[in-house]
Amino acid sequence: MTSSLTVIGLGYVGLPLAREACRSGLAVTGLDIDPSVVAGLMNGQTHVDDVNSSDLAEMLQAGFHVTSDSTCLESSDTVVICVPTPLNEYGTPNLDAVKAATRTVSEKLQPGTLVVLESTTYPGTTEDIIRPILEAGSGLSAGTDFYLSYSPERIDPGNPDWGLRNTPKVVGGLTPTCTEQAVRFYDQIVDTVVPTVGTREAELAKLLENTYRHVNIALMNEMSVFCHELDVDLWAAIEAAKTKPFGYEAFYPGPGVGGHCIPIDPNYLSWVVRSVGYRFRFVELAEEISDRMPAYVAKRVQDSLNADKKSVNGSVVLLLGVTYKANVSDLRETAARPLAAQLSTMGADVRYFDPYAETFNFNGRELVSEDDLEVALANADLTVLVQAHDEIVESGALSRAGRILDTRGVLSGDNVERL
Ligand SMILES: NC(=O)c1ccc[n+]([C@@H]2O[C@H](COP(=O)([O-])OP(=O)(O)OC[C@H]3O[C@@H](n4cnc5c(N)ncnc54)[C@H](O)[C@@H]3O)[C@@H](O)[C@H]2O)c1
């Protein structure tokens, strides 16, 4: 019998999961509270870079259905929750969407169903938050009447080599049977499933991965500031260090961290660490260092203009690439925003070019992307490479431009100065 799956939350994580499940022959329903997401997907319009319109057409052809009606949960063998886990205004975890989605599941939960949480969260969420909501709403017991597991999503938007199917998938269940059920489910969709001892360890695995990146990126950011003062080429040093075949992994400095994961997820861990009376000092330090990078880049812009006897005030500063990551359109938490805001406050005429972002907001203003890179470069007093989209980096126009501040260490030439 075809197994049936409901994916709750059809964003960057839920939609690729639904696609792989469709490809594996499961009967897949997408449940989302946003009517524009439901209507868009049912009309064949995708809003997620990693799932293109022909992928979506194939999914719809295979019977993929998207709805806001939760009755689909009653006939699902498996329910996977992929809703957002942002921070609230005080920088602490906001589990509102996770709790709301779980309540919806609890009202329709049937005996024998496997429920999996994929949203990134702190250790203890599945057992201490999800379990009681499901049990209270359904009258069923986790581990006996239904199965409950956590499986962190490792999706890396825009990565052409590693996707959901070939990236090993960690799962941890409330009980050994819950883990077994989750392994059986994901075995249908991904090449390698990695069971761990429980939900807390699976939850921590994801935060460990993101915290490791966060700390190492911050280390490079801090080093970039003093290497510039010491007149040492950090980029060349990283290239040299990474020839060591063991014990070193290369990370790179940049204009600040962005996206839905690195600036947010480690806060989930530091929040829970505080509950046992400690401060997670590595995370706090990493955050402090990387948060200062946009202001540091603005200072370097000032220095570069100064070298040409120009002031920031009144100069045209062109930002190339404003999304948080290369070759994706996601603008969430992008470091380009505080950078643009700071330059604008200093009096610069900030413009931008980004083939992935038609519009870009900062300081309550909305800019529209320059449409001709060559003309935009010619009109700029200084150009800053903020995001290394292939289309920008590979453009021959950059070699004909005036002075460029490269915050990604990917350009070379007499007109280029690296961070
Ligand atoms: N984006 C990434 O690269 C990435 C990578 C790994 C993990 N994650 C984690 O995965 C989770 C989801 O992130 P995302 O980037 O896919 O989010 P997203 O904002 O792209 O999509 C979430 C979707 O959930 C829907 N939604 C919200 N509340 C709902 C509810 N109660 N019921 C049904 N639908 C609801 C929204 O309408 C939206 O369509 C987060 O915890 C995130 O940290 C994200």
Side-chain angles (χ1 to χ4, degrees):
M1 208 179 76
T2 310
S3 56
S4 55
L5 164 70
T6 295
V7 178
I8 307 187
L10 295 166
Y12 288 87
V13 167
L15 199 57
L17 172 67
R19 178 188 57 198
E20 294 310 317
C22 286
R23 284 180 178 164
S24 294
L26 276 70
V28 186
T29 305
L31 180 63
D32 202 291
I33 45 164
D34 184 338
S36 68
V37 167
V38 175
L41 291 173
M42 285 309 284
N43 286 325
Q45 283 151 12
T46 166
H47 58 291
V48 170
D49 294 325
D50 288 346
V51 177
N52 63 32
S53 46
S54 70
D55 291 340
L56 181 57
E58 266 175 42
M59 292 163 73
L60 293 168
Q61 183 75 26
F64 177 54
H65 180 69
V66 190
T67 179
S68 293
D69 179 356
S70 62
T71 48
C72 57
L73 294 165
E74 289 170 352
S75 53
S76 295
D77 304 318
T78 303
V79 177
V80 181
I81 301 172
C82 307
V83 298
T85 43
L87 298 174
N88 64 29
E89 57 182 314
Y90 306 110
T92 53
N94 177 346
L95 290 177
D96 289 353
V98 168
K99 289 180 187 166
T102 307
R103 274 192 294 274
T104 305
V105 177
S106 76
E107 288 157 12
K108 309 285 178 193
L109 190 62
Q110 300 298 311
T113 307
L114 167 68
V115 180
V116 185
L117 178 65
E118 284 207 6
S119 302
T120 304
T121 186
Y122 59 82
T125 306
T126 308
E127 199 168 339
D128 303 340
I129 308 278
I130 307 294
R131 177 187 188 165
I133 296 175
L134 290 176
E135 291 185 334
S138 66
L140 301 172
S141 291
T144 47
D145 300 330
F146 69 94
Y147 309 106
L148 180 59
S149 291
Y150 181 80
S151 179
E153 182 41 65
R154 287 170 152 174
I155 214 133
D156 183 19
N159 188 327
D161 302 319
W162 295 100
L164 177 62
R165 192 170 286 272
N166 65 352
T167 305
K169 191 95 172 89
V170 170
V171 297
L174 197 64
T175 63
T177 314
C178 293
T179 306
E180 258 169 49
Q181 291 291 328
V183 170
R184 197 170 301 162
F185 165 69
Y186 284 109
D187 260 339
Q188 303 172 89
I189 298 172
V190 302
D191 296 340
T192 312
V193 183
V194 183
T196 183
V197 293
T199 54
R200 286 170 197 270
E201 290 71 20
E203 288 161 336
L204 183 62
K206 169 73 186 179
L207 295 182
L208 171 60
E209 291 163 17
N210 282 357
T211 303
Y212 170 80
R213 281 187 62 72
H214 191 33
V215 167
N216 280 289
I217 292 168
L219 176 66
M220 291 303 105
N221 282 339
E222 183 169 41
M223 288 185 72
S224 72
V225 175
F226 66 69
C227 280
H228 178 66
E229 304 280 322
L230 292 172
D231 199 20
V232 181
D233 184 341
L234 174 61
W235 305 93
I238 295 171
E239 286 313 299
K242 87 177 197 201
T243 59
K244 189 179 180 189
F246 50 88
Y248 180 79
E249 188 188 346
F251 287 88
Y252 298 91
V257 289
H260 189 288
C261 291
I262 302 296
I264 293 177
D265 300 350
N267 288 285
Y268 270 67
L269 196 48
S270 45
W271 178 81
V272 80
V273 170
R274 241 173 277 141
S275 74
V276 286
Y278 298 95
R279 282 172 51 205
F280 196 170
R281 288 170 295 167
F282 265 107
V283 164
E284 290 175 10
L285 183 62
E287 201 168 58
E288 188 191 317
I289 290 169
S290 290
D291 281 357
R292 267 196 254 134
M293 288 311 286
Y296 175 66
V297 174
K299 161 81 173 57
R300 293 284 300 271
V301 166
Q302 186 174 33
D303 293 347
S304 290
L305 286 166
N306 204 33
D308 287 339
K309 299 191 170 29
K310 292 177 179 174
S311 62
V312 178
N313 196 347
S315 287
V316 174
V317 179
L318 175 68
L319 306 183
L320 297 183
V322 292
T323 63
Y324 93 87
K325 191 169 189 241
N327 306 321
V328 303
S329 61
D330 196 344
L331 286 158
R332 288 182 293 181
E333 315 290 329
T334 176
R337 194 165 281 126
L339 172 61
Q342 174 118 11
L343 291 170
S344 170
T345 305
M346 291 162 82
D349 176 356
V350 178
R351 303 178 190 177
Y352 84 98
F353 173 83
D354 193 324
Y356 288 88
E358 261 174 56
T359 59
F360 171 54
N361 297 292
F362 63 91
N363 270 2
R365 295 169 57 197
E366 181 171 273
L367 295 190
V368 177
S369 175
E370 300 288 313
D371 53 7
D372 186 323
L373 178 57
E374 193 102 37
V375 174
L377 288 167
N379 289 334
D381 291 296
L382 180 75
T383 298
V384 186
L385 180 74
V386 183
Q387 197 48 264
H389 296 314
D390 291 347
E391 250 171 288
I392 293 176
V393 174
E394 286 159 15
S395 162
L398 296 190
S399 59
R400 298 185 290 279
R403 198 186 281 271
I404 300 178
L405 176 62
D406 171 11
T407 70
R408 297 290 172 181
V410 292
L411 302 178
S412 52
D414 292 345
N415 61 338
V416 174
E417 182 192 341
R418 286 182 173 180
L419 189 68

